[in-house]
Amino acid sequence: DSVLLNATGALTYDWSTGTPNNSYYAAPTSESPIVIGTDLNGCIAEDTMDILVNPLPIVDAGMDTIICEGGSIFLAGVGADTYVWSTGETTQSILVSPLQTIDFEVKVEKNGCVDFDTIKVNVENVCHEI
């Protein structure tokens, strides 16, 4: 993502990135952007802003799986603080008993960042015992 930075209080602006106006979209980097403002009298001032970059959560809902018709399976997501499943449930793991093959999606959030993963549950009407 990027964040919109707005400088105020000067007549002209120059960002350390070469952007020559008061607004600048800052992308995540290891450097803090610096803005230099010049007023009507030619006086120059500068300011900088530290941008905290949170890493994206990496969610894993597991490998696609197969269940027998009429069966159930627990699905679990890992890697986040909050979970929202396509079923509407908000727990880390859910028990599902689908009647047909279906994809279940889990949306996770951690530190304000969001990620998604999908797991396909294949429902077989003929199961073989091993």
Side-chain angles (χ1 to χ4, degrees), residues 22-64:
N22 73 315
S23 295
Y24 167 67
Y25 279 98
T29 66
S30 60
E31 296 182 20
S32 298
I34 299 170
V35 63
I36 300 170
T38 306
D39 70 10
L40 286 170
N41 300 317
C43 295
I44 295 173
E46 72 176 51
D47 198 5
T48 184
M49 176 179 274
D50 292 328
I51 301 171
L52 174 64
V53 180
N54 289 321
L56 284 173
I58 300 174
V59 62
D60 185 7
M63 303 266 305
D64 292 349

Side-chain angles (χ1 to χ4, degrees), residues 4-8 10-15 19-24 35:
L4 178 62
L5 304 177
N6 286 304
T8 59
L11 179 64
T12 62
Y13 304 89
D14 288 302
W15 292 87
T19 303
N21 53 35
N22 73 315
S23 295
Y24 167 67
V35 63

Side-chain angles (χ1 to χ4, degrees), residues 28-105:
T29 66
S30 60
E31 296 182 20
S32 298
I34 299 170
V35 63
I36 300 170
T38 306
D39 70 10
L40 286 170
N41 300 317
C43 295
I44 295 173
E46 72 176 51
D47 198 5
T48 184
M49 176 179 274
D50 292 328
I51 301 171
L52 174 64
V53 180
N54 289 321
L56 284 173
I58 300 174
V59 62
D60 185 7
M63 303 266 305
D64 292 349
T65 190
I66 299 171
I67 65 170
C68 294
E69 190 175 69
S72 298
I73 188 169
F74 275 101
L75 305 178
V78 294
D81 296 331
T82 63
Y83 299 83
V84 178
W85 292 88
S86 52
T87 61
E89 294 172 85
T90 58
T91 55
Q92 184 175 0
S93 63
I94 62 173
L95 178 65
V96 296
S97 304
L99 301 175
Q100 61 190 18
T101 297
I102 187 171
D103 289 338
F104 291 93
E105 182 181 79

